[in-house]
Amino acid sequence: MTTENKTILRLAKVQDAHLKDKSVIVRVDYNVPMKDGVIKDDTRIRETLKTVKYLLDANCKVVLMAHLGRPKGKVDPKYTLAPVAPHLEKLAGVKVHFASDCVGGEAGKAVKAAKNGEIVLLENLRYHPEEEKNDDGFAKGLAAHGEFFVQEAFGALHRAHSSTAAIAKFLPGAIGFLVQKELEYLDKAMVNPVRPFVAIIGGAKVSDKINVLYSLIDKVDTIIIGGGMAYTFLAAQHTNIGKSLLEAEKVEEAGKIIMKAFKKNVEMLLPADHIAVKEIKPDAAKEVTQSMAIGDDWIGVDIGPRTEMLFMDKIKGAKTIFWNGPVGIFETPAFASGSIAVAKAMAAATKGGATTILGGGDTLSVLKVAGVKTDQISHCSTGGGASLEFIEGKLLPGLVALSQK
Ligand code: AMP
């Protein structure tokens, strides 16, 4: 959030509230990758433990609410949060009661059955269509489970939903330690970054990232564009991109972004060469292009070796780095080299004293593929969308709702 936003929002912190022996309802982001009831990555759960343990130490009854996936307002066992309860019990070391609904009689019974110093995990909020409508009645039903509300779902702050926004009308509230940490890092980068400040923006779609690109140009010294979205920018410069991903209706916008960077004296780096294939399949024959242009029948799937060097060099010289989005189709090992190189360069820069921030589920997955640990990066944001909207300078509804007048 920009300086302006920071001065608009006055947010209470969980550690400043008097919560001893109270029932506290906490909105967490437990939208974790899960397959057949097995949690594939529990980072988001671990990241909430500081707040959960803080409340347990204050002898609170901790009621947790979250969403998982997109069940579209209906009960769908595919999206149950039930597997999270035993996992959390192991991590927190206290009893976790699971409520088969988040509002109404069943939820009320589970909350009542829990003692202070224990946790209740409520079933998926999005089983109810009211949640995403920011419905007051539904929010009131959630608020009935506690005397105080803690906002800890950084990844859901950009959504105005009952559990993130409307609930604050019915309970006093504060932000938890994770939200505080996220805001602190993003604020540090956006308000007063140590320079040079380099942003690397990749991923598939330009349309998702137009606003953040405009905002970043006002802040950074260098902007690096890679991944599928880079081809729309190359097309805007009349470079041949063959059959690579193109958002034809965004070419003009990409041209405007290039011109804004030019006028603001911000360096913009686009891929100078590519790994190209004729078909996107793991064992496809690959070619390295001679220049930034791609032949008619070819598809760009990763940055080429010269671009890797160019990007590495910029990252190495930076003091603040923000990264969102892979620079190639990293899910296919043969096309992951560029993204791995960026991840490794981020880790090296962190070691050298730079502040490094990354956000987005795909970007975190690249770290895993690259064998880079999250503690080798200054800050891995738990919310891709929320961190982008924050950088755009938007007021996040989940914070606005808690802002003290
Ligand atoms: P996003 O959700 O917009 O951050 O996009 C992430 C996706 O971008 C990943 O699934 C990547 O496989 C994809 N991606 C990266 N580079 C390319 C490329 N050259 N062509 C097509 N998709 C790409």
Side-chain angles (χ1 to χ4, degrees), residues 202-205 208-209 227-228 231 245 300-301 325-331 362:
K205 282 174 134 191
D208 289 347
K209 303 203 175 142
Y231 303 108
L245 196 68
V301 288
V327 296
I329 307 179
F330 76 100
E331 297 92 337
D362 279 317

Side-chain angles (χ1 to χ4, degrees), residues 201-206 208-209 226-231 243-246 274-275 280 299-303 324-332 335 339 359-363 366 388:
I201 304 294
K205 282 174 134 191
V206 183
D208 289 347
K209 303 203 175 142
M229 58 185 279
Y231 303 108
K243 289 184 180 159
S244 308
L245 196 68
L246 172 72
H274 315 266
I275 304 294
I280 299 183
I299 308 163
V301 288
D302 194 6
I303 54 172
N324 182 298
V327 296
I329 307 179
F330 76 100
E331 297 92 337
T332 302
F335 315 145
S339 302
D362 279 317
T363 317
V366 173
L388 287 180

Side-chain angles (χ1 to χ4, degrees), residues 32-332:
V32 290
M34 220 187 295
K35 201 168 178 222
D36 304 324
V38 179
I39 298 162
K40 293 287 169 202
D41 182 349
D42 68 351
T43 311
R44 284 180 163 169
I45 302 175
R46 286 178 187 274
E47 290 280 0
T48 64
L49 287 176
K50 186 169 173 188
T51 292
V52 169
K53 287 187 174 162
Y54 175 84
L55 294 172
L56 294 172
D57 285 348
N59 198 38
C60 295
K61 186 186 289 190
V62 182
V63 183
L64 302 177
M65 55 177 172
H67 77 275
L68 180 71
R70 296 175 192 269
K72 302 198 174 125
K74 284 194 209 89
V75 175
D76 182 344
K78 210 166 93 192
Y79 298 109
T80 178
L81 278 164
V84 175
H87 191 82
L88 181 62
E89 197 161 273
K90 271 191 225 139
L91 293 176
V94 301
K95 184 162 177 55
V96 178
H97 303 252
F98 182 69
S100 58
D101 201 352
C102 59
V103 287
E106 283 308 308
K109 253 193 258 169
V111 173
K112 211 166 166 202
K115 300 191 194 75
N116 283 30
E118 292 181 345
I119 297 171
V120 183
L121 175 65
L122 304 175
E123 182 57 289
N124 198 338
L125 292 157
R126 292 195 186 165
Y127 279 0
H128 294 266
E130 296 88 348
E131 159 66 356
E132 294 187 64
K133 292 183 185 141
N134 200 14
D135 179 82
D136 277 355
F138 184 67
K140 213 169 172 179
L142 296 169
H145 302 313
E147 300 156 81
F148 193 86
F149 166 60
V150 174
Q151 177 62 274
E152 193 61 327
F154 180 78
L157 287 184
H158 58 314
R159 308 276 182 227
H161 292 170
S162 295
S163 66
T164 57
I167 189 166
K169 292 182 194 166
F170 305 104
L171 286 177
I175 53 173
F177 293 110
L178 172 62
V179 170
Q180 290 173 41
K181 186 174 84 168
E182 295 263 14
L183 297 181
E184 195 185 303
Y185 269 101
L186 291 172
D187 234 23
K188 198 160 101 184
M190 297 316 288
V191 177
N192 205 3
V194 183
R195 296 187 180 275
F197 181 6
V198 173
I200 307 137
I201 304 294
K205 282 174 134 191
V206 183
S207 42
D208 289 347
K209 303 203 175 142
I210 284 174
N211 292 334
V212 83
L213 287 168
Y214 276 117
S215 306
L216 281 169
I217 289 170
D218 289 327
K219 314 271 178 186
V220 301
D221 301 291
T222 301
I223 191 152
I224 293 177
I225 297 183
M229 58 185 279
Y231 303 108
T232 302
F233 282 84
L234 290 174
Q237 297 186 163
H238 305 283
T239 303
N240 198 356
I241 58 160
K243 289 184 180 159
S244 308
L245 196 68
L246 172 72
E247 277 178 89
E249 70 288 0
K250 294 294 170 207
V251 171
E252 202 184 321
E253 193 79 45
K256 283 187 193 156
I257 293 171
I258 292 171
M259 282 317 291
K260 178 170 177 184
F262 174 72
K263 283 186 189 145
K264 289 254 168 179
N265 215 7
V266 168
E267 180 181 40
M268 181 180 273
L269 298 183
L270 292 169
D273 61 350
H274 315 266
I275 304 294
V277 294
K278 286 207 165 161
E279 224 183 320
I280 299 183
K281 54 177 191 180
D283 56 351
K286 298 192 285 184
E287 285 225 341
V288 178
T289 62
Q290 290 296 320
S291 69
M292 58 169 54
I294 298 180
D296 285 346
D297 292 335
W298 294 85
I299 308 163
V301 288
D302 194 6
I303 54 172
R306 279 197 300 124
T307 309
E308 251 183 50
M309 282 198 295
L310 182 72
F311 287 6
M312 291 322 75
D313 207 47
K314 275 295 154 198
I315 294 170
K316 204 166 134 196
K319 286 278 168 265
T320 305
I321 309 164
F322 176 77
W323 178 27
N324 182 298
V327 296
I329 307 179
F330 76 100
E331 297 92 337
T332 302

